[in-house]
């Protein structure tokens, strides 16, 4: 891992529901990983970057309205202008009864539930690389440096 892991926390709201039963579309997870990747790029080289794409996206458990999620990301490899990142989505708390919107009871997921994982590639042009902007990334090296 290069630098530190970035973690975003988010509760799934009614606007995230896409399917019957208050099921959240997997694209919502992918969207949040994009923000995690952008934050990583700011830390590692001072630019918001271009997200080139994902591979090996896996959705491993359902996500519902009211679920509290953590979106994790870290850099696995630094290239000349590209960065390979790993992403995970974890459910850390959930509603007790998702069928009743008046029921506000929730419970922690112990252990957290892995809901998705993927590998992503991001790009920062050499001319836009400003060097590490956060101390845990100071050891990052591009090939040839």
């Amino acid at each position: 891992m290069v630098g530190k892991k970035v973690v975003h926390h988010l509760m799934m709201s009614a606007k995230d529901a896409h399917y019957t039963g208050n099921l959240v579309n997997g694209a919502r997870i992918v969207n949040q990983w994009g923000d995690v990747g952008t934050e990583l790029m700011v830390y590692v080289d001072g630019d918001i970057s271009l997200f080139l794409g994902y591979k090996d996206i896996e959705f491993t458990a359902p996500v519902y309205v009211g679920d509290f999620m953590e979106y994790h990301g870290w850099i696995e490899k630094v290239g000349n202008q590209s960065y390979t990142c790993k992403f995970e989505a974890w459910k850390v708390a959930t509603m007790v009864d998702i069928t009743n919107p008046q029921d506000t009871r929730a419970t922690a997921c112990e252990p957290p539930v892995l809901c998705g994982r993927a590998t992503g590639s991001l790009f920062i042009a050499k001319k836009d690389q400003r060097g590490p902007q956060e101390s845990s990334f100071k050891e990052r090296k591009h090939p040839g440096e």
Side-chain angles (χ1 to χ4, degrees), residues 42-142:
V42 169
Y43 291 158
V44 73
D45 257 324
D47 190 85
I48 61 171
S49 77
L50 173 66
F51 213 116
L52 297 175
Y54 292 97
K55 69 176 187 175
D56 303 324
I57 295 176
E58 293 180 70
F59 299 113
T60 55
V63 176
Y64 297 98
V65 170
D67 286 346
F68 288 81
M69 300 294 296
E70 286 184 355
Y71 301 92
H72 297 217
W74 62 94
I75 299 171
E76 283 286 309
K77 181 181 174 195
V78 176
N80 284 320
Q81 299 181 100
S82 65
Y83 308 79
T84 302
C85 299
K86 297 288 187 175
F87 299 99
E88 296 175 342
W90 292 89
K91 185 185 309 188
V92 296
T94 190
M95 302 304 292
V96 171
D97 182 0
I98 64 168
T99 64
N100 180 0
Q102 303 306 313
D103 188 346
T104 59
R105 295 174 300 147
T107 188
C109 296
E110 291 185 334
V113 177
L114 179 65
C115 296
R117 62 181 153 231
T119 301
S121 297
L122 294 95
F123 172 85
I124 301 174
K126 208 58 149 160
K127 68 178 182 57
D128 297 324
Q129 294 172 6
R130 298 176 43 237
Q133 303 295 305
E134 201 274 341
S135 61
S136 70
F137 292 87
K138 68 179 188 275
E139 299 300 320
R140 78 92 181 99
K141 298 281 187 219
H142 291 281

Side-chain angles (χ1 to χ4, degrees), residues 22-40:
N22 287 326
L23 186 63
V24 174
N25 189 330
R28 185 68 179 98
I29 291 174
V30 175
N31 184 58
Q32 195 62 33
W33 285 335
D35 289 346
V36 170
T38 298
E39 185 175 341
L40 284 166

